Amino acid sequence: MTKEECFYLGKIAKKFSFKGEVLIYLDTDEPELYENLESVFVECSKHLVPFFISNSSLHKNDFLRVRFEDVSNEEEADAILGNHVYLPLNMLPKLSGNKFYFHEVIGFNIIDKRLGNVGKIVSINDSAAQPLFEVLKGDTEILIPMIDQFLVKIDRDNQQVEMDLPEGLIEMYL
């Protein structure tokens, strides 16, 4: 399993008990969806390693308290502390309407109500305060803010993101 075939679920944040239990910080709006997992992939030395879960429960909203089958003491828990946790993409809940996962719109075209086809989404920049679509039109990179008011429709069948962009936003790049 590679990272490209997975999504980021969270991070092993801290130890919970002397028996090797850990708390995984869940980077999700719906932590209850991940309460009864059988296994996860833990990133160890840049490789995804399957870890099987013997039991788990939600802890203080955003944390999953986990006992892994092969982690039975504090030293073994220390070895995975701070590591990122992943799940296969097919375990993501399906979204509909204008809700979408960032990875699923890569390759979609941005269609503006006024200008038509603006270009193809090549990536998402979520390191700024506002996530941005990184769009390529020919050799020109265009950054489009992901603002709900701009978003008209996610058309999964035609691989398009329909938007109503303010006048001048696209023109300043061209």
Side-chain angles (χ1 to χ4, degrees):
M1 188 69 54
T2 66
K3 266 198 204 180
E4 291 72 29
E5 299 169 296
C6 295
F7 68 96
Y8 175 77
L9 180 63
K11 180 179 181 176
I12 300 175
K14 49 187 158 182
K15 295 182 288 187
F16 188 78
S17 73
F18 63 90
K19 295 178 183 173
E21 285 181 300
V22 294
L23 292 178
I24 299 174
Y25 169 73
L26 297 175
D27 186 18
T28 177
D29 295 333
E30 300 177 293
E32 61 279 357
L33 294 176
Y34 304 101
E35 191 171 8
N36 297 310
L37 296 172
E38 291 179 10
S39 64
V40 294
F41 289 98
V42 177
E43 186 176 24
C44 301
S45 303
K46 299 189 179 185
H47 297 290
L48 294 184
V49 178
F51 275 69
F52 295 92
I53 297 172
S54 57
N55 63 24
S56 66
S57 61
L58 284 180
H59 180 79
K60 294 184 181 177
N61 298 333
D62 292 340
F63 289 93
L64 187 65
R65 178 180 167 182
V66 174
R67 174 185 288 284
F68 290 118
E69 287 180 3
D70 295 329
V71 178
S72 56
N73 59 47
E74 284 188 78
E75 292 77 32
E76 291 170 346
D78 277 333
I80 58 171
L81 211 56
N83 291 15
H84 292 178
V85 177
Y86 294 86
L87 285 174
L89 285 173
N90 64 8
M91 291 186 72
L92 274 174
K94 292 286 180 226
L95 296 179
S96 60
N98 283 349
K99 292 184 177 182
F100 61 92
Y101 295 111
F102 288 179
H103 72 271
E104 88 176 289
V105 296
I106 304 298
F108 281 29
N109 285 307
I110 296 279
I111 307 297
D112 180 54
K113 284 177 105 174
R114 190 171 42 85
L115 298 171
N117 192 339
V118 173
K120 187 176 291 290
I121 300 171
V122 292
S123 70
I124 307 270
N125 180 340
D126 64 348
S127 61
Q130 176 69 49
L132 302 165
F133 289 119
E134 292 182 2
V135 177
L136 210 53
K137 182 173 183 77
D139 293 332
T140 306
E141 182 183 57
I142 301 169
L143 300 176
I144 300 174
M146 270 193 237
I147 297 176
D148 289 342
Q149 293 86 335
F150 296 172
L151 194 62
V152 176
K153 180 182 175 193
I154 302 294
D155 183 351
R156 288 173 173 84
D157 293 336
N158 296 310
Q159 295 197 333
Q160 296 178 341
V161 176
E162 296 176 21
M163 301 189 85
D164 188 5
L165 299 170
E167 199 168 325
L169 177 68
I170 302 303
E171 291 85 348
M172 74 180 182
Y173 288 97
L174 305 176

